Structure formats: structure tokens, C-alpha cells
Amino acid sequence: MTLAFITGISGQDGSYLAERLLAEGVEVHALAHALEPPPEAPGVELHRGDLTDSDEVRALLVDLAPDEVYNLAALSSVARSWEEPDLTARVNGLAAAALLDSALLVQEKQGRPVRFVQASSAEIFGEPDRSPQDESTPVRPVNPYGAAKAFVHHMVDVYRHRELHAVSAILYNHESPRRPDHFVTRKITSTAAAIAQGRADVLALGNLDARRDWGWAPDYVDAMVRAARADVPRDYVVATGVGRSVRDFVAAAFARAGLSDWERYVVVDPEFVRPADPTELVGDATLARTALGWSPTVGFDEIVGRMVDADLRQERSASVRP
Ligand code: GDP
């Protein structure tokens, strides 16, 4: 039986990945901080611990001897990475490097391959001079979050040279109703639903012109599993190839919520404008499509629709509660 180890289990991707692996009959173990809520997916073996405590994590990994390691844990907010660049570097950078090293140790002790997937990010490309980006685009981050992810992206390559089956999955923005509110998509869909129900009257946003490539989170989890199990370890851009602006997302979400005049409700608040924000991040996933047989299954309008519908359901059930 395959044994998988996941960090970042309480996040959007962690929950989808755990469900996917459990459905396949994989034994799923996960690391969660003492303060993290328990995972949504029943059946996950939870280990309480701190990812930045490398000795503790190494001992756990040696003990479990997993076949697959998925490193999804990270401080996920680019905006917050400006407030806490050192913590971002420790969690998103150093802890991941230690985990790679522990995976190699397990491989050497066990004498069998360990497959390691690093959830990397389009933010490693910073303000790229070409669009769409692919695996050959220069790594040149413009914020602390991207810089920490870029360090690990390079470390994956370093450990691949040590014969670890290590993969950097360069994930573009990927969304679902499980996305937390500090991401712009969920902030938009939950506020649009609240406005439609008369429970809010304004949506304060930052840069409406930023263009992102928004995909469906379970598809991105599928790409990571395929990359873990491919014959050859490589890095993959995981993206839909279609760029939309934040403004496009707002218009689509408000329309879905039954509000045709979104301009009435949206204000730009400098608090949400970032010091450095890539203008356009759009990925070319040709390699993932050809080498992994992967393709996105849910398009932009459907993603927006599913998120708004879920938030409208939540709003309606909140409003009937006494
Ligand atoms: P990220 O790409 O992983 O940082 O995902 P986000 O959903 O947080 O941000 C996506 C884009 O939306 C970025 O270009 C942000 O600058 C932009 N954006 C505009 N207004 C907001 C806002 O109010 N909150 C967030 N989180 N992002 C915003």
C-alpha cells in the first residue's frame, strides 16, 4: 500500500489532495500545527508538529517512511509576506529545504524511491517579460513570497541531482469554494453573495487590472499526483493558459449573484494595493499536457459560478438561522 505524507493539510489543496488519495486507497499521513483545525477529510492520520522544527519533522519522516511527500504548507498570502518576510522565508523556504533533505534520507535508508512534490507558484516568475510563461521562463521574483518559493524551486533541482524524484509544480492561481477569504476570488464571491442578500453594501479591493490565470483547485491537485508518479521527475507549469483581470472576475461574480451593476458596489482601497504586483501571470502547461496527460477540466465561468453559488447557499442558510 502506498503511504503519502502531506504538509498543509488544512488548506484548500490539502483537503482535495487527501480526499483524492484516500479514495485511491492510499494511507495518508499529515503534519498539522497545534493551532491548525483538523483536516476536513476523515481517515487522515494527523501528526501534530511544527514544520519549522526540522529535527522533529525528520524523525517523523524516517519513522513513517512515506512513498510520496507533498509539501503544500506555506504562508500563502503574498500581501502578508511583505509584513513577515522572515517568517515567510522560514516556513516557505527553509522548512521545505529541510523536508527535501529528510525525504532523501528516507530514500537512502529504505533503498527505494521517495517521490517529492513541491507546491511552487507562478510568483517565482515575478514580472515576466513573456506571456504565457513556461518551465524555461527566468525565475525572478518580485516579492518575499515569490523569493522563498524560488529558493525551494532551485532546491528541488539540487535534490533531483541527488537522485530524489523531486518535482516543482509551478501552480498558477487555483480556486474553489474552499479558498479562504484573503484570496481575491473568494473575497469577491463571498461579498457579492452577501450584497445580493442585503447583508453587505461595499466590496473594497486593490488592483483591478492585475491579470491572473485562474484554474480549478482539484485539477491542480490531480497534476501534482500525476507529476509524483511520472517516470521522470521534472518541473511543470500547471495553468489553464487563459488570463483574466480581477475586474473580469468581479463582473462575472456579480452577474452570477444577480447584480448587473457591480461598479456601484466596488471601491479601490489603497490598503489592498500591493507594493509590487505582477501585471500578468498566465501559464503555458503544454509540458504537463503532453508528458502527464493532464488538462484542466473546469473553465473560468464555471469556477466563478460554483464559487458564487456556494457562497449564496451559505448566505441563505445563515439568514434563516435564528
Ligand atoms: P495571489 O496571486 O496568490 O496573491 O492571490 P490573490 O487572490 O491574493 O491575488 C490575486 C491578484 O488580485 C493580485 O494581483 C492582487 O494584487 C489582486 N487583488 C486586487 N484586490 C485584492 C484584494 O482585495 N485582496 C487580494 N488578496 N488580492 C487582490
Side-chain angles (χ1 to χ4, degrees):
M1 187 200 254
T2 304
L3 194 153
F5 180 76
I6 304 176
T7 71
I9 188 72
S10 58
Q12 167 188 260
D13 298 356
S15 68
Y16 285 123
L17 177 60
E19 286 170 8
R20 152 86 189 253
L21 295 175
L22 286 166
E24 284 178 355
V26 171
E27 183 177 337
V28 178
H29 291 253
L31 181 71
H33 199 270
L35 304 174
E36 262 180 74
E40 304 272 331
V44 174
E45 289 279 340
L46 201 61
H47 304 267
R48 292 287 181 186
D50 186 343
L51 185 64
T52 62
D53 184 340
S54 309
D55 292 341
E56 184 189 23
V57 175
R58 179 177 305 250
L60 177 61
L61 222 64
V62 167
D63 187 41
L64 292 173
D67 304 287
E68 298 174 359
V69 177
Y70 297 89
N71 185 37
L72 313 182
L75 263 70
S76 60
S77 163
V78 174
R80 190 173 155 208
S81 79
W82 285 105
E83 288 152 30
E84 298 184 282
D86 48 348
L87 185 63
T88 302
R90 273 206 300 281
V91 176
N92 297 12
L94 297 179
L99 195 62
L100 270 166
D101 197 59
S102 298
L104 180 61
L105 181 68
V106 171
Q107 174 166 299
E108 286 169 349
K109 273 182 179 289
Q110 297 290 323
R112 57 165 169 76
V114 173
R115 290 157 184 269
F116 188 106
V117 178
Q118 164 67 10
S120 191
S121 162
E123 290 284 340
I124 67 173
F125 297 133
E127 190 67 74
D129 55 14
R130 63 182 91 154
S131 187
Q133 303 86 45
D134 63 19
E135 296 77 10
S136 66
T137 302
V139 172
R140 212 158 38 201
V142 293
N143 54 51
Y145 174 89
K149 288 281 184 184
F151 164 67
V152 185
H153 179 76
H154 293 309
M155 286 298 271
V156 163
D157 197 36
V158 168
Y159 276 80
R160 209 159 33 216
H161 283 96
R162 299 279 312 275
E163 305 301 328
L164 188 69
H165 183 108
V167 170
S168 179
I170 307 167
L171 307 176
Y172 281 63
N173 299 55
H174 47 288
E175 316 299 318
S176 76
R178 298 185 192 175
R179 198 61 149 154
D181 257 347
H182 66 261
F183 288 91
V184 77
T185 52
R186 187 71 196 290
K187 182 176 170 181
I188 294 167
T189 61
S190 63
T191 312
I195 292 173
Q197 292 296 305
R199 290 157 69 93
D201 46 26
V202 66
L203 170 59
L205 292 172
N207 180 10
L208 299 182
D209 296 320
R211 294 182 72 81
R212 293 291 180 273
D213 179 335
W214 280 294
W216 179 240
D219 286 343
Y220 290 54
V221 159
D222 177 48
M224 288 193 273
V225 174
R226 286 171 188 255
R229 297 175 186 172
D231 292 339
V232 181
R234 297 163 91 163
D235 298 336
Y236 295 97
V237 159
V238 185
T240 71
V242 180
R244 307 279 185 147
S245 67
V246 172
R247 183 178 281 100
D248 294 336
F249 200 104
V250 171
F254 274 68
R256 181 73 174 209
L259 304 160
S260 54
D261 47 353
W262 65 266
E263 285 99 337
R264 265 184 58 199
Y265 305 100
V266 173
V267 297
V268 171
D269 182 339
E271 185 193 334
F272 300 113
V273 178
R274 299 179 183 172
D277 195 30
T279 314
E280 170 165 304
L281 290 171
V282 177
D284 173 355
T286 301
L287 184 63
R289 286 171 185 271
T290 52
L292 301 177
W294 176 83
S295 60
T297 64
V298 186
F300 178 80
D301 290 329
E302 183 65 22
I303 294 168
V304 176
R306 290 184 190 185
M307 292 178 72
V308 171
D309 292 355
D311 282 323
L312 282 172
R313 276 196 298 276
Q314 210 168 307
E315 275 292 328
R316 287 188 192 117
S317 63
S319 62
V320 294
R321 253 182 248 135

